[in-house]
Amino acid sequence: MTLTPLTLFSISPWIIVLIVVLVILIAGIIFLTIWGKKQQKKMDENQAQIEANSQNITMLIIDKKKLPLNKSGVPQIVIDSTPRLLRRSKVPVVKAKVGPRIMVLIADDKIFDMIPVKQEVKATVSGIYLTKVRSLRGPALVAPPKAGFFKRLKNKVTKK
């Protein structure tokens, strides 16, 4: 009986498949961590730029909705500067009266639920981006609790 290199190191095919899958998973995890760090750095730079350009404004909130960017009423320059895939996504839009002008602002997702309609608020604005909202009169603003799936379904049924 002669020994060949294949008989000495005979590895079953499922172990080879397992090793290949593990190598691909490890490579994917390494790629995602490097890409995630780059994206986090970009987001931190953008957030610092937003905070540097922010200013406090008193405004009367007229209306708030989540609309597609094309139908939101923001300037055409903003629509042209967004990537094509994101133009159809819905953004939180706030229509507010700032002094004598009526402006369309894009709100941060975190504060959109806290924004009261038809009330005067003190807001932090950076360009057309609404970042913070504080109550001008009355109690502090808090987001209403989110209704669960079954609660929304029950409310729909009881309305009819």
Side-chain angles (χ1 to χ4, degrees), residues 71-139:
K71 299 177 183 176
S72 64
V74 295
Q76 189 63 35
I77 297 171
V78 175
I79 296 172
D80 292 340
S81 66
T82 57
R84 285 210 184 272
L85 293 175
L86 295 176
R87 289 184 189 170
R88 289 187 182 168
S89 64
K90 291 188 175 184
V91 292
V93 176
V94 176
K95 197 177 211 181
K97 184 174 182 185
V98 181
R101 294 180 51 199
I102 294 179
M103 296 178 65
V104 176
L105 303 167
I106 297 175
D108 193 6
D109 284 330
K110 299 173 205 162
I111 66 160
F112 183 69
D113 293 330
M114 291 189 330
I115 299 172
V117 180
K118 298 185 180 168
Q119 284 188 11
E120 203 168 1
V121 294
K122 188 147 193 114
T124 304
V125 178
S126 177
I128 63 165
Y129 194 64
L130 191 64
T131 56
K132 292 180 189 171
V133 176
R134 292 174 301 284
S135 177
L136 196 62
R137 297 179 194 97

Side-chain angles (χ1 to χ4, degrees), residues 11-24:
I11 301 175
S12 64
W14 65 272
I15 292 179
I16 294 173
V17 170
L18 182 67
I19 291 172
V20 169
V21 168
L22 284 174
V23 168
I24 291 172

